[in-house]
């Protein structure tokens, strides 16, 4: 399935688009299979699951992204796992809490709640710019490198496009941002057309 998705992505865009394989639905055995096909970056939304899989696959040298809600009592464990990227920083307060315990640089994405949905965490597009600068100023180890967003939860294509466009515009306005992480299994093609350069794909790769 990875091969098909890669071909499809190429047919939509000639940009360099990174795939993070979201392995939250599967065990380490399935991760190993995808890794054998050349996939290097994986994402988990629970710290315990990241710990288990990273440990089980420690000899493979994979890059692990944390993409879920980070509970305060899991901060130390996440830090000890040395993720390659924290994609789901949802508040300045959380960034400061993580930063105060870090002793290495952690590339971080601000999660953007671009459709202003109550069910989702993240910064509103309006508040994100100020937060970006505040985090850059106040944090020693947290390195904001871009934005992450989950597309609008809607059957209307226009809502999804609007939400991705809002994230993309914010991304472009942040001068030092290099990562625009948006697009999941059901909407990754739209996300690419809206300027994403990092997809987080779960079910389409593992089912
Ligand atoms: C689960 C998850 C994904 C992947 O979802 P699929 O629809 O299975 O591709 C991407 N991003 C986040 C934040 C997730 O929690």
């Amino acid at each position: 399935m990875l091969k098909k998705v890669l071909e499809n992505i190429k047919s939509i865009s000639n940009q360099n688009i990174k795939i993070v394989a979201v392995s939250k639905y599967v065990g380490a055995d399935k991760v190993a299979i995808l890794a054998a096909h050349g996939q290097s970056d994986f994402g988990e939304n629970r710290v315990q699951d990241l710990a288990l899989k990273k440990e089980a696959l420690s000899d493979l040298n994979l890059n692990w992204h944390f993409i879920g809600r980070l509970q305060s009592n899991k901060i130390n464990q996440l830090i000890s796992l040395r993720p390659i990227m924290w994609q789901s920083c949802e508040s300045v307060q959380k960034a400061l809490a993580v930063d105060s315990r870090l002793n290495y640089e952690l590339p971080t994405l601000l999660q953007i709640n671009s459709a202003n949905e109550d069910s989702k965490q993240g910064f509103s597009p309006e508040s994100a710019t100020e937060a970006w600068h505040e985090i850059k100023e106040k944090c020693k180890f947290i390195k904001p490198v871009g934005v992450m967003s989950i597309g609008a939860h809607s059957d209307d294509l226009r809502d999804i496009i609007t939400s991705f466009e809002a994230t993309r515009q914010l991304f472009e306005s942040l001068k030092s941002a290099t990562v625009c992480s948006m697009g999941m299994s059901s909407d990754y093609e739209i996300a690419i057309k809206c300027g994403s350069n990092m997809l987080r794909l779960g079910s389409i790769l593992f089912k």
Side-chain angles (χ1 to χ4, degrees), residues 20-25 43-45 66-69 87-88 111 121 148-150 181 183-188 199-207:
V20 175
V22 178
S23 49
K24 66 190 184 193
Y25 312 108
E44 285 288 337
N45 68 342
F66 186 67
I67 63 171
R69 192 183 288 262
Q87 295 211 7
S88 43
Q111 181 167 352
Q121 56 172 354
M148 182 276 260
S149 190
I150 298 172
S181 171
M184 314 192 347
S185 294
S186 61
D187 56 20
Y188 78 92
L199 310 174
R200 306 177 313 276
L201 302 178
S203 43
I204 200 171
L205 295 181
F206 288 109
K207 280 173 186 167

Side-chain angles (χ1 to χ4, degrees), residues 11-202:
S11 75
I12 301 171
S13 166
N14 54 17
Q15 300 296 111
N16 192 11
I17 296 170
K18 192 164 195 87
I19 296 182
V20 175
V22 178
S23 49
K24 66 190 184 193
Y25 312 108
V26 299
D29 51 335
K30 295 268 169 52
V31 174
I33 293 171
L34 213 58
H37 284 90
Q39 178 65 30
S40 58
D41 286 68
F42 291 85
E44 285 288 337
N45 68 342
R46 296 181 64 228
V47 177
Q48 300 97 305
D49 293 341
L50 201 166
L52 285 173
K53 284 172 214 174
K54 183 171 174 164
E55 168 72 10
L57 300 165
S58 56
D59 47 345
L60 291 184
N61 230 336
L62 302 173
N63 299 326
W64 290 96
H65 298 243
F66 186 67
I67 63 171
R69 192 183 288 262
L70 178 57
Q71 292 166 278
S72 296
N73 62 358
K74 295 289 184 326
I75 292 176
N76 287 346
Q77 191 182 11
L78 180 66
I79 288 175
S80 74
L81 293 167
R82 287 196 166 247
I84 189 120
M85 192 176 280
W86 174 28
Q87 295 211 7
S88 43
C89 174
E90 88 285 14
S91 70
V92 173
Q93 191 193 4
K94 191 65 68 70
L96 292 171
V98 175
D99 192 67
S100 69
R101 302 185 208 181
L102 272 168
N103 61 357
Y104 60 89
E105 288 193 358
L106 180 59
T108 296
L109 305 182
L110 267 54
Q111 181 167 352
I112 310 303
N113 185 358
S114 52
N116 291 310
E117 291 162 308
D118 290 340
S119 59
K120 285 184 188 143
Q121 56 172 354
F123 299 93
S124 66
E126 298 75 37
S127 70
T129 305
E130 197 182 328
W132 173 271
H133 292 298
E134 191 176 349
I135 292 170
K136 274 187 117 92
E137 254 170 50
K138 293 187 178 163
C139 292
K140 186 171 176 205
F141 298 108
I142 295 274
K143 298 293 166 194
V145 294
V147 293
M148 182 276 260
S149 190
I150 298 172
H153 183 71
S154 169
D155 293 329
D156 190 336
L157 193 60
R158 286 167 300 184
D159 294 337
I160 301 173
I161 292 175
T162 302
S163 69
F164 283 153
E165 295 282 355
T167 303
R168 204 266 313 275
Q169 276 174 24
L170 171 68
F171 167 65
E172 285 176 351
S173 75
L174 300 169
K175 296 242 155 35
S176 55
T178 57
V179 178
C180 182
S181 171
M182 52 185 200
M184 314 192 347
S185 294
S186 61
D187 56 20
Y188 78 92
E189 291 158 306
I190 308 166
I192 295 170
K193 289 174 187 157
C194 292
S196 168
N197 61 19
M198 183 179 277
L199 310 174
R200 306 177 313 276
L201 302 178

